[in-house]
Amino acid sequence: MRFSRLISVLMLLCAVSFSQSSSAAKPAPGFSIDTIDKSVDPCTDFYEYACGNWLKTAEIPPDQAQWVSFVELHERNMDIARGILEKATAGGAGRNAIEQKIGDFYGSCMDEKAVNSKGIAELKPELKRIDAVKDKQALIDEIAHIHMIGASPLFAFYSSPDLHNADQVIAYIDQGGLTAPDRDYYLKDDEKTKAVRQHFVEYMTEVFNQASKDEGKSETDGGQKADTVLRIETALAKAEMDRTSRRDPKNRDHKMSREEAVSLASNFYLDRYFHDVNAPTFAQLNVGNPEFFKQINAALESESLDSLKVYVKWHLLNSSAPWLSQPYVEANFKMQQALTGQKEIQARWKRCVNLTDRELGEALGQKYVEVAFPPESKARMLKMVDALEKSLDQDIQNLSWMSEETKKQAKVKLDAIRNKIGYPEKWRDYSSVEIKAGDLLGNVQRANEFEAKRQIAKIEKPLDRKEWGMTPPTVNAYYSPPFNEIVFPAGILQPPFFDPKLDDAVNFGGIGLVIGHELTHGFDDQGRKYDPRGNLHDWWTEQDGKEFEKRASCVADEYSSFVAVDDIKLNGRLTLGENTADNGGARIALAALEHMIADDKTGKEGQKIDGYTPEQRFFLGFGRVWCEKRRPEVARMRVLTDPHSPGKYRVDGVVQNMPEFQKAWGCKAGQPMVAENACHVW
Ligand SMILES: [Zn+2]
């Protein structure tokens, strides 16, 4: 894991984040009434009605774990990026500095022959340095070094806004050091989890043995090494705070002096670590989970130096595996397959486009917006954001359960929300990153190091509020509590979310609802704890806080009753913020549409299209965005790790709470899409 990802987690990424994608060039997955299954009663199961025909014909491509509009769009964006990158790679002497960076980076990734002929050669010096370590104090130097080049053993170190003074960035240390996506993979003992764990051990065994062979050693003790790593990571997992508890920022709020943090876990040699990574001087830092450091301190005592070396080597091998020779790439993919069910590895060009986006995203992004983001899109988005903000303002003012005092504070917070649309006004400067043709692993490590240094340099500096947490081609959007801002990259501003050729009703059900969703995050169970400046500060009266919790519990209980896959139910508390945002977003987006219809003197906005009223088209547009197929493996993974509900419940879970929906479709009490106890927060 890279430093930047750790930062993203703290910024509360919304919607679904996809680092992977699939097959040949296709048109945008636009809105069409052909996806509707008219044999289904919309009041019985609206998702089945809106997506039924899509579900009958759509197939998950073999190189995908799931198929949904986000992934379809990501495919299109990758085709565009591929064209840019191939041109930049072939470009010759006429290239500018940005084209040289992204072209040579992508070219080094595509040169599979060179990558295969090198085997593990480029990692050998790193592995030798770990072998040469004489004591546990010196091992922290190696951990610091590999943190900088892109792996993340043992714990996390990063910079982020101070929870109580968001204008200032401070240092953070936190739990970390796992290979699997969640602590539950180490702790649960059901058959499916045990099978994934077995795959994990096989993956490690294969990679360790291959590495020994490539290093010219005769050892075949990969199995023992794998057991060592599993034992250490299980200890880390036991000490970790679970994902649902971490949703509450108060559980991660532990600012202390540097001395206190260092003495909390003397076996981590944190002072030496901070020196190694060249961190600016700081007197205080935040420790995300102090218990983790206390518990692991004992584990570091009981594990031998040799075992710890094996563990650190594993993290280096695992993070490098996709960019090494074929045996490592295949072993790594088999692990991904066990977790997600994906049938085939993606074509190399797709992996290389994604890697370029990850490592040099704002360089590739500059070229991407030149070809894929017309200025008119930004103007129309600004208008919609404005309409949605007004709508949320009215919604809050009309709430019966909130006092005037808290409403006044909520308005201050809403007015302070900034928005970012398309791409950053100031691009990141990659001129100090050396990108060499034919040196893939070196390029990846140098790009990672550039990013790590950039993150560390922010410590004890004022927050740069112009910075973006996503790259422009990303099909996603987010709200950030410390920044108190909503952000929409260019990548999502296209069909089926946003189609300039279609009526407002469909667009309000698509991107309008996404805007409403992100705005609502400022007021969900997590976001409401932050004030307009982005500080963790309670601006609610005690009574209003209780009223909020009561209504949020209704949402948590509702979604906890939904079955995600097999007999596994959704975690209503893990998904509470996203479900609250979906419900609030739908309500305020529809209200904004109703205003537009009322204000339209021509009467055009209120007309039926294809036989559907604007309200019906709003809900159909919403449904289309979430038509989705998932392989069972990835469905199981997401129940544990994803704060978002599966597509079916993002739609049905919302509409059954809405009298507006029931009116639009003529649903009657007792039908499944008419909840007996409808939940209503915003
Ligand atoms: Zn969200």
Side-chain angles (χ1 to χ4, degrees):
M1 200 190 284
R2 309 166 67 230
F3 280 69
S4 57
R5 289 220 197 141
L6 292 166
I7 295 301
S8 308
V9 171
L10 290 170
M11 287 169 62
L12 186 70
L13 289 175
C14 298
V16 203
S17 180
F18 291 104
S19 59
Q20 305 284 332
S21 192
S22 129
S23 67
K26 288 183 194 84
F31 171 82
S32 160
I33 57 163
D34 296 340
T35 64
I36 298 170
D37 181 351
K38 292 192 176 171
S39 72
V40 175
D41 182 343
C43 301
T44 301
D45 186 337
F46 185 68
Y47 177 79
E48 281 295 326
Y49 177 77
C51 295
N53 277 357
W54 185 92
L55 291 166
K56 277 178 207 157
T57 52
E59 272 177 47
I60 307 173
D63 69 346
Q64 295 294 338
Q66 58 201 331
W67 197 236
V68 60
S69 58
F70 285 82
V71 186
E72 283 183 79
L73 268 189
H74 181 64
E75 289 289 291
R76 287 188 75 236
N77 291 347
M78 282 212 300
D79 278 335
I80 296 168
R82 181 190 197 178
I84 293 166
L85 290 168
E86 284 180 350
K87 208 171 137 200
T89 304
R95 298 185 301 179
N96 65 25
I98 288 173
E99 288 158 350
Q100 182 273 321
K101 298 267 188 241
I102 59 175
D104 287 349
F105 187 92
Y106 181 74
S108 72
C109 184
M110 287 304 290
D111 190 352
E112 200 168 9
K113 215 172 131 195
V115 169
N116 281 336
S117 71
K118 282 182 192 172
I120 203 172
E122 286 177 298
L123 268 193
K124 269 192 199 169
E126 302 286 349
L127 294 167
K128 277 216 174 93
R129 281 168 52 153
I130 299 171
D131 279 334
V133 166
K134 292 278 187 303
D135 53 43
K136 289 180 182 175
Q137 285 97 312
L139 187 62
I140 200 69
D141 301 342
E142 287 312 306
I143 290 174
H145 171 64
I146 75 168
H147 274 182
M148 295 301 284
I149 60 173
S152 49
L154 202 58
F155 69 105
F157 174 61
Y158 54 93
S159 63
S160 193
D162 184 339
L163 287 165
H164 298 279
N165 176 20
D167 291 325
Q168 182 77 1
V169 177
I170 62 165
Y172 282 66
I173 55 171
D174 212 337
Q175 65 187 39
L178 300 185
T179 307
D182 192 88
R183 73 196 285 273
D184 276 6
Y185 284 101
Y186 300 86
L187 308 180
K188 281 172 71 178
D189 268 326
D190 60 281
E191 290 309 312
K192 294 256 167 42
T193 307
K194 281 199 314 215
V196 172
R197 214 147 54 219
Q198 186 53 36
H199 275 289
F200 179 36
V201 168
E202 283 162 19
Y203 167 42
M204 288 192 280
T205 306
E206 212 174 319
V207 168
F208 274 127
N209 284 338
Q210 183 69 38
S212 293
K213 199 174 133 202
D214 288 352
E215 281 184 283
K217 295 177 181 172
S218 56
E219 300 160 7
T220 51
D221 56 353
Q224 270 166 282
K225 288 174 178 164
D227 289 342
T228 299
V229 176
L230 186 64
R231 182 181 68 242
I232 293 173
E233 294 203 357
T234 304
L236 296 169
K238 279 184 186 155
E240 282 206 349
M241 194 191 303
D242 70 81
R243 216 172 268 277
T244 308
S245 307
R246 282 180 69 83
R247 279 190 50 71
D248 187 344
K250 287 177 185 160
N251 292 337
R252 291 179 268 115
D253 177 21
H254 308 284
K255 200 171 172 183
M256 57 181 82
S257 72
R258 182 173 171 139
E259 292 73 35
E260 268 178 280
V262 170
S263 60
L264 192 67
S266 56
N267 293 329
F268 279 76
Y269 307 104
L270 286 170
D271 254 330
R272 187 162 170 163
Y273 175 89
F274 297 141
H275 179 263
D276 285 339
V277 297
N278 208 12
T281 315
F282 55 87
Q284 287 193 307
L285 75 163
N286 190 68
V287 183
N289 179 6
E291 273 311 305
F292 174 85
F293 285 89
K294 281 188 208 158
Q295 282 190 41
I296 299 308
N297 201 50
L300 287 172
E301 188 85 51
S302 62
E303 291 289 348
S304 70
L305 175 64
D306 281 343
S307 295
L308 292 171
K309 282 184 186 179
V310 166
Y311 166 71
V312 174
K313 275 188 187 179
W314 165 251
H315 274 263
L316 187 62
L317 287 165
N318 175 53
S319 65
S320 311
W323 319 116
L324 295 173
S325 57
Q326 201 58 27
Y328 300 93
V329 173
E330 275 170 20
N332 181 270
F333 174 66
K334 270 195 278 175
M335 185 65 226
Q336 194 188 333
Q337 211 171 18
L339 285 168
T340 68
Q342 190 179 322
K343 298 287 178 233
E344 288 172 10
I345 193 164
Q346 294 195 324
R348 190 161 184 97
W349 74 263
K350 291 187 185 181
R351 287 177 272 149
C352 291
V353 167
N354 281 327
L355 183 67
T356 314
D357 180 54
R358 191 183 93 181
E359 301 290 351
L360 300 170
E362 288 199 15
L364 173 59
Q366 274 185 65
K367 306 296 291 179
Y368 171 83
V369 295
E370 277 172 25
V371 295
F373 189 61
E376 311 85 86
S377 295
K378 187 163 179 167
R380 197 157 162 194
M381 266 300 279
L382 278 168
K383 243 176 98 180
M384 288 184 78
V385 170
D386 189 50
L388 266 293
E389 282 173 352
K390 284 201 181 98
S391 183
L392 179 56
D393 186 14
Q394 273 185 7
D395 178 82
I396 292 171
Q397 298 317 315
N398 293 336
L399 287 180
S400 57
W401 56 268
M402 191 185 260
S403 69
E404 287 308 316
E405 205 182 328
T406 306
K407 280 182 185 176
K408 214 183 278 171
Q409 299 300 320
K411 168 118 177 100
V412 174
K413 176 156 185 182
L414 177 59
D415 288 346
I417 293 178
R418 287 177 203 78
N419 56 65
K420 290 177 178 169
I421 295 165
Y423 55 90
E425 52 183 277
K426 198 181 101 213
W427 294 102
R428 193 161 299 159
D429 175 10
Y430 294 98
S431 57
S432 66
V433 194
E434 193 190 358
I435 300 297
K436 288 190 225 169
D439 183 15
L440 173 58
L441 195 68
N443 288 339
V444 171
Q445 290 178 348
R446 283 187 295 274
N448 284 339
E449 197 172 2
F450 164 81
E451 178 60 15
K453 282 183 180 165
R454 202 179 70 80
Q455 294 295 347
I456 290 170
K458 295 180 194 172
I459 293 170
E460 299 295 306
K461 299 248 170 61
L463 177 64
D464 175 5
R465 290 192 179 266
K466 290 188 173 161
E467 205 180 359
W468 280 57
M470 282 179 182
T471 67
T474 307
V475 185
N476 210 335
Y478 68 89
Y479 170 79
S480 162
F483 283 74
N484 194 26
E485 68 179 9
I486 50 176
V487 185
F488 306 93
I492 197 171
L493 304 177
Q494 49 184 324
F497 294 93
F498 176 62
D499 189 344
K501 292 191 296 297
L502 284 179
D503 47 312
D504 285 314
V506 168
N507 281 327
F508 272 83
I511 198 73
L513 205 144
V514 173
I515 298 167
H517 170 107
E518 302 305 343
L519 283 171
T520 307
H521 271 317
F523 305 89
D524 71 13
D525 59 313
Q526 196 171 47
R528 80 176 190 91
K529 292 177 177 153
Y530 294 81
D531 71 10
R533 293 296 307 163
N535 299 329
L536 204 50
H537 169 240
D538 193 359
W539 46 269
W540 294 60
T541 66
E542 205 188 327
Q543 184 58 30
D544 288 336
K546 278 187 194 149
E547 291 293 330
F548 175 91
E549 292 301 339
K550 203 162 79 190
R551 283 161 177 79
S553 290
C554 176
V555 176
D557 292 345
E558 177 195 349
Y559 285 79
S560 293
S561 73
F562 296 145
V563 176
V565 58
D566 308 332
D567 57 350
I568 309 170
K569 287 190 173 161
L570 278 180
N571 176 346
R573 285 283 161 188
L574 174 64
T575 56
L576 177 56
E578 299 300 334
N579 297 330
T580 305
D582 282 342
N583 277 275
R587 224 173 243 117
I588 66 168
L590 181 60
L593 175 67
E594 297 294 5
H595 278 129
M596 188 171 270
I597 294 170
D599 290 347
D600 174 33
K601 305 261 184 305
T602 67
K604 207 176 142 219
E605 294 279 1
Q607 279 169 8
K608 280 189 181 181
I609 301 176
D610 302 324
Y612 292 102
T613 66
E615 288 79 8
Q616 288 174 331
R617 288 175 67 82
F618 170 89
F619 287 108
L620 290 169
F622 171 40
R624 171 66 190 96
V625 163
W626 292 112
C627 297
E628 174 186 88
K629 281 194 174 174
R630 289 181 179 185
R631 299 192 192 279
E633 292 87 345
V634 84
R636 280 190 282 272
M637 182 172 93
R638 287 191 170 256
V639 167
L640 292 181
T641 60
D642 191 351
H644 306 85
S645 300
K648 178 178 169 62
Y649 301 119
R650 293 194 79 156
V651 176
D652 284 353
V654 167
V655 300
Q656 61 182 267
N657 288 326
M658 292 181 76
E660 301 91 330
F661 171 84
Q662 288 128 29
K663 192 178 155 208
W665 295 93
C667 305
K668 296 187 178 56
Q671 289 190 285
M673 294 296 103
V674 186
E676 219 172 297
N677 300 306
C679 305
H680 186 169
V681 185
W682 303 108

